[in-house]
Amino acid sequence: MGNQFSQLLIIQFKEFFREPGALFWSFIFPILMSFALGMAFSEKPEITQRAAVVLEASSDSSVLKSYLTNYCKKTEDLKFEYQNTIDNNKLGKTITHFIPTSWNESEIMMKRGQIEIILTENNGKINYHFDPANFASRLAYITISTMLDGKDLVSDNEVIKPLETKGTRYIDFLIPGLLAMGIMSSCLWGISYGLIEKRSRKLLRRLVATPMKKHWFMITMFISRFLFAILETVALFTFAYFVFGVKIQGSIIAFAAIIISGSFFFMGLSILLASRTANTQVGNGFISAITMPLILLSGIFFSYSNFPDIIIPIIKYLPLTIFADSLRSIINEGYGILEIMKPLLILSLTGFATFIVGLKIYKWY
């Protein structure tokens, strides 16, 4: 029995390490994603914004033309003709590039994401054209309108104190989400797709014909996938710790417990998905239909509070949301085992239920 267990476990590890793509997507890709997003949304020494300016050719008393001529510096860069820099000791440096162009060209630039706002002038009044739902455009409007009105961005009687609380950076929000997403993807693609592929290639039929115990096969697959999930978690968090200084503020025991319960839930779901699926095309569709909505809705990259209020209560009870929110609570807010007991039980019990149902209806060939 012990020899059968060890041989099956070795098979699971060999199958994984024989696929270079699996190593890349499991270990290297999450690290590259965290590095790219962490650098893109980390603190920058300056804010750069771009505005297209549509000037009236025949107007010599143009407010916009006067502002560009008297208050902006003409640049040597062919992309920008005028530049205004505000260096505020409270807010930092804000650089605004003004690009004189035609209306048609400015619309094309806006569609391509090359500018945040378009400025025009009508009877001495400046018109601001932008998408109010775009945060960068709204910031550009506030900044540029303040400059054109001759006002300071921050008045002397206002005090700005930089927030130094741990866990408030974007990278602190991102890493727990990537950990949860990585474990979900590892389980669903590693277990579900692996079992579906074995069934479609008639490998399960051959394995069942041997003296192999069915439960040993499932147990070794669970153990190997769980160990891979742990390795992925350690690799990503170690990278985040040394590169971005992300630290666990809460209980290590709570962190380990939620990792185990989250892994167990998605393992159980994987068995249920693979229980009756006969070919890889259908399996690929099933897994994608589950993972993509969860990744988009569960606040992995950005907060789900941006969604309409009517669906937020539903989003909060999605399994990936529960998993990611629990990890964030432990890493960023210092939660312990008692504070995460509810999500711990939800993930564990539902994972156990899906596992039992999946085994009951599992089709080996």
Side-chain angles (χ1 to χ4, degrees):
M1 182 180 296
N3 185 54
Q4 185 180 111
F5 174 81
S6 61
Q7 290 299 317
L8 286 171
L9 193 60
I10 291 172
I11 289 173
Q12 301 292 349
F13 278 100
K14 284 184 176 180
E15 285 185 350
F16 181 84
F17 286 106
R18 282 174 180 170
E19 293 291 337
L23 293 174
F24 173 80
W25 291 109
S26 298
F27 295 100
I28 300 176
F29 180 72
I31 291 175
L32 292 177
M33 182 180 292
S34 65
F35 178 76
L37 291 174
M39 295 300 293
F41 293 96
S42 60
E43 295 181 8
K44 296 182 179 179
E46 59 188 37
I47 295 175
T48 301
Q49 51 195 18
R50 296 146 300 180
V53 182
V54 181
L55 297 172
E56 297 179 2
S58 60
S59 177
D60 294 329
S61 60
S62 168
V63 176
L64 284 174
K65 185 180 291 186
S66 174
Y67 179 80
L68 295 179
T69 304
N70 298 323
Y71 296 97
C72 297
K73 180 178 69 174
K74 203 162 187 177
T75 66
E76 298 178 357
D77 193 336
L78 295 178
K79 293 187 297 182
F80 312 112
E81 286 201 23
Y82 296 93
Q83 174 182 306
N84 188 9
T85 301
I86 298 177
D87 197 355
N88 187 284
N89 59 358
K90 297 177 180 179
L91 287 180
K93 185 179 291 186
T94 302
I95 301 175
T96 305
H97 296 286
F98 294 96
I99 310 168
T101 184
S102 66
W103 175 257
N104 290 335
E105 285 295 325
S106 65
E107 282 190 319
I108 293 174
M109 295 171 71
M110 181 69 82
K111 292 176 181 178
R112 294 176 178 175
Q114 297 173 343
I115 57 174
E116 284 78 36
I117 194 169
I118 302 172
L119 307 182
T120 62
E121 187 174 347
N122 185 17
N123 296 326
K125 292 184 178 181
I126 299 173
N127 301 318
Y128 301 88
H129 308 268
F130 64 96
D131 177 13
N134 187 312
F135 295 125
S137 296
R138 288 163 63 179
L139 176 61
Y141 162 70
I142 294 171
T143 305
I144 295 173
S145 62
T146 302
M147 290 191 300
L148 291 175
D149 289 340
K151 299 177 182 178
D152 293 328
L153 292 178
V154 181
S155 63
D156 294 333
N157 61 349
E158 294 175 335
V159 178
I160 294 178
K161 295 184 178 181
L163 189 63
E164 298 178 354
T165 307
K166 294 181 179 179
T168 56
R169 301 172 301 169
Y170 174 70
I171 192 66
D172 297 316
F173 176 88
L174 176 67
I175 292 300
L178 289 181
L179 290 174
M181 183 187 74
I183 290 175
M184 177 193 70
S185 300
S186 177
C187 292
L188 290 180
W189 289 104
I191 296 178
S192 279
Y193 192 81
L195 289 173
I196 294 168
E197 186 182 32
K198 286 181 175 63
R199 183 184 291 117
S200 66
R201 293 166 56 191
K202 310 300 182 184
L203 292 178
L204 288 180
R205 182 190 294 268
R206 297 176 188 176
L207 288 171
V208 171
T210 68
M212 178 200 74
K213 300 291 185 182
K214 294 179 181 178
H215 64 275
W216 282 127
F217 176 78
M218 287 296 185
I219 290 173
T220 54
M221 177 165 277
F222 266 45
I223 291 176
S224 63
R225 187 49 53 183
F226 177 70
L227 291 176
F228 291 139
I230 295 300
L231 290 175
E232 293 169 24
T233 300
V234 171
L236 178 57
F237 198 85
T238 301
F239 174 82
Y241 175 81
F242 285 106
V243 176
F244 296 108
V246 177
K247 298 179 181 179
I248 299 176
Q249 308 297 325
S251 168
I252 299 295
I253 296 176
F255 180 77
I258 200 67
I259 289 290
I260 293 171
S261 63
S263 301
F264 185 66
F265 170 82
F266 287 111
M267 287 177 185
L269 182 61
S270 300
I271 295 296
L272 183 61
L273 284 176
S275 59
R276 290 283 173 172
T277 309
N279 60 73
T280 54
Q281 288 83 4
V282 176
N284 186 28
F286 275 153
I287 297 171
S288 298
I290 290 176
T291 56
M292 290 305 296
L294 286 178
I295 291 172
L296 292 174
L297 294 173
S298 297
I300 300 303
F301 301 102
F302 300 98
S303 174
Y304 53 77
S305 61
N306 295 318
F307 286 100
D309 293 340
I310 192 171
I311 66 170
I312 288 180
I314 300 174
I315 292 175
K316 286 183 177 180
Y317 281 94
L318 294 175
L320 188 60
T321 307
I322 295 173
F323 192 18
D325 283 352
S326 300
L327 285 172
R328 289 192 181 104
S329 298
I330 297 167
I331 294 174
N332 297 330
E333 300 176 38
Y335 275 28
I337 192 70
L338 294 178
E339 288 90 346
I340 64 158
M341 189 58 67
K342 181 180 178 181
L344 201 65
L345 290 174
I346 291 174
L347 292 174
S348 300
L349 294 177
T350 51
F352 181 76
T354 54
F355 175 70
I356 294 299
V357 173
L359 285 183
K360 288 289 185 181
I361 65 174
Y362 195 83
K363 183 180 179 181
W364 286 90
Y365 48 84

